[in-house]
Amino acid sequence: KEEEVIQVNIREEPGNAFAWMMGRRVLYSVGERFKKRFSAISVIVYLNSLFMVLMMNLMLYLKLEHHADLITTLLVLIIYNSLPIVVAILHAMSLAELSPEHRGLLMREQLSVECELAMMLSKDGGVKSPYYRMLKHSATMLKSAGEFLTYNEEHTHPTTVLGVHANSPAAILAALSTLLGGLSMALQAVTSNAAQGWTYNEGGVYVDTDG
């Protein structure tokens, strides 16, 4: 069975534009509570992953005795914690694209209404018709809805991940690059220590085989 799609005429019914705008605000308010919870969890997970990367680097650079299973566990946990953040970034970027898309929809409808109003001005008696007044109200309402959408969803309540605006993917990826940089430093430490004779013995313990 096909899903039923509700069509909202925001062109010829000015009240529908206002109802559509308020409906978006209600849904956004409901999602705001979940966004705050997930943002807090994302920050905790990210800091936890950063701490594990730091602990791994300290053990390798200071050549502390440890078991290979500990490094393996840290790697698995870092990757496991990073995957939800990557998924959240992709979803947030996709969600952030909806606001400009919907604002463009309102602008296209407003432009269409304005063009029709201009055409009615050239006709005798067009300005006095009820249809002209209705379109005039629609144009005003569409403009107000677009301005409210821009202000509410891009300035006061933007979509964010790790406290960064989702429209700035470079800033978000910079946070993840910190984890990748830490992992690359750990790999460099393993390679450098191996050249000095540090490796894991048969028991899985990190020791100096040349010592």
Side-chain angles (χ1 to χ4, degrees), residues 11-171:
R11 172 189 174 86
E12 299 179 359
E13 294 292 339
N16 286 346
F18 179 78
W20 177 77
M21 182 176 62
M22 289 297 100
R24 281 181 61 90
R25 186 175 181 181
V26 170
L27 293 176
Y28 203 89
S29 299
V30 173
E32 186 76 13
R33 292 178 293 178
F34 294 96
K35 188 188 78 171
K36 290 180 179 179
R37 296 176 192 170
F38 186 79
S39 296
I41 295 174
S42 298
V43 171
I44 294 174
V45 170
Y46 175 76
L47 293 178
N48 185 39
S49 300
L50 200 60
F51 173 75
M52 288 188 288
V53 169
L54 178 61
M55 186 179 357
M56 183 188 306
N57 278 274
L58 285 176
M59 287 189 298
L60 292 173
Y61 276 98
L62 297 179
K63 300 173 183 176
L64 301 178
E65 183 177 320
H66 61 273
H67 200 275
D69 291 342
L70 178 59
I71 296 295
T72 303
T73 302
L74 290 175
L75 283 173
V76 171
L77 289 176
I78 292 170
I79 296 174
Y80 181 78
N81 289 340
S82 300
L83 287 178
I85 298 178
V86 173
V87 173
I89 290 174
L90 295 177
H91 281 287
M93 293 173 63
S94 176
L95 181 61
E97 294 175 355
L98 288 179
S99 292
E101 180 181 340
H102 290 173
R103 190 171 66 254
L105 170 64
L106 293 175
M107 294 176 65
R108 287 194 300 269
E109 288 294 332
Q110 182 184 351
L111 179 61
S112 176
V113 171
E114 293 286 354
C115 290
E116 189 168 353
L117 287 172
M119 293 177 61
M120 294 183 69
L121 284 174
S122 62
K123 298 179 181 179
D124 295 336
V127 180
K128 298 180 181 180
S129 65
Y131 186 65
Y132 178 87
R133 291 195 296 269
M134 184 269 294
L135 288 180
K136 194 70 175 177
H137 289 310
S138 295
T140 303
M141 185 60 69
L142 288 171
K143 181 180 179 181
S144 300
E147 293 174 351
F148 177 81
L149 184 64
T150 302
Y151 176 77
N152 188 62
E153 297 187 11
E154 294 189 11
H155 296 287
T156 58
H157 299 88
T159 304
T160 58
V161 179
L162 296 175
V164 182
H165 201 295
N167 285 334
S168 303

Side-chain angles (χ1 to χ4, degrees), residues 173-187:
L173 294 178
L176 290 179
S177 65
T178 305
L179 297 178
L180 295 177
L183 292 176
S184 64
M185 289 179 61
L187 179 61

